[in-house]
Amino acid sequence: MTVVTFRVLIILLADIIIGSLLDFVRADSTREFTFVFSVCPWLTWVFGAVCAVSLGYFVWSLVKKVDTRRYYMTPAMLFALCLFLFAVVLLYKYLTMMMIVSAMVIASVLFAVYYIYTNLLY
């Protein structure tokens, strides 16, 4: 399998895992209450720190001009995934489930089209 296929499959797997976890949290009101008031504040700090570290890794790889063509998970993909997780946790109280899933699907389709398009035509 090519690297592009693995990248698209990684994003698909991330979509499935994130969607399943969000569906699990939203299924029960007690579980969602516990998540919003007990877990979500901690996850905001954790994903914020992970997002900052992944941004640092992304900038480091750009400055050092690291060849990431053969990486299954590029620094840009890692930063985008961490940023999305941080945004979901940060805005969980304000967004509906449909908005989160729609953003996730649209971003994944755009990502897949971009990688397949650039691989086939260039």
Side-chain angles (χ1 to χ4, degrees):
M1 296 180 89
T2 65
V3 174
V4 174
T5 307
F6 278 119
R7 288 178 183 171
V8 172
L9 289 176
I10 287 171
I11 295 300
L12 178 67
L13 181 66
D15 283 347
I16 291 171
I17 291 171
I18 294 168
S20 298
L21 287 174
L22 288 174
D23 189 42
F24 176 75
V25 167
R26 295 244 179 174
D28 184 31
S29 61
T30 306
R31 192 178 312 139
E32 187 173 19
F33 181 81
T34 304
F35 175 76
V36 168
F37 291 108
S38 298
V39 179
C40 205
W42 289 101
L43 282 180
T44 304
W45 286 101
V46 169
F47 284 136
V50 170
C51 188
V53 169
S54 67
L55 176 64
Y57 176 57
F58 177 61
V59 169
W60 176 83
S61 67
L62 286 177
V63 169
K64 292 290 185 176
K65 296 181 176 129
V66 177
D67 184 20
T68 60
R69 288 181 290 176
R70 297 288 175 214
Y71 289 7
Y72 292 133
M73 186 83 167
T74 64
M77 284 175 56
L78 186 65
F79 174 65
L81 184 63
C82 291
L83 184 64
F84 181 76
L85 289 172
F86 180 61
V88 166
V89 172
L90 191 64
L91 302 172
Y92 184 80
K93 294 183 242 179
Y94 309 109
L95 299 177
T96 63
M97 181 69 164
M98 186 60 70
M99 290 171 67
I100 294 171
V101 171
S102 298
M104 194 167 51
V105 168
I106 289 170
S108 298
V109 167
L110 289 175
F111 173 81
V113 167
Y114 169 75
Y115 269 106
I116 291 170
Y117 175 77
T118 56
N119 190 31
L120 291 177
L121 296 177
Y122 296 107

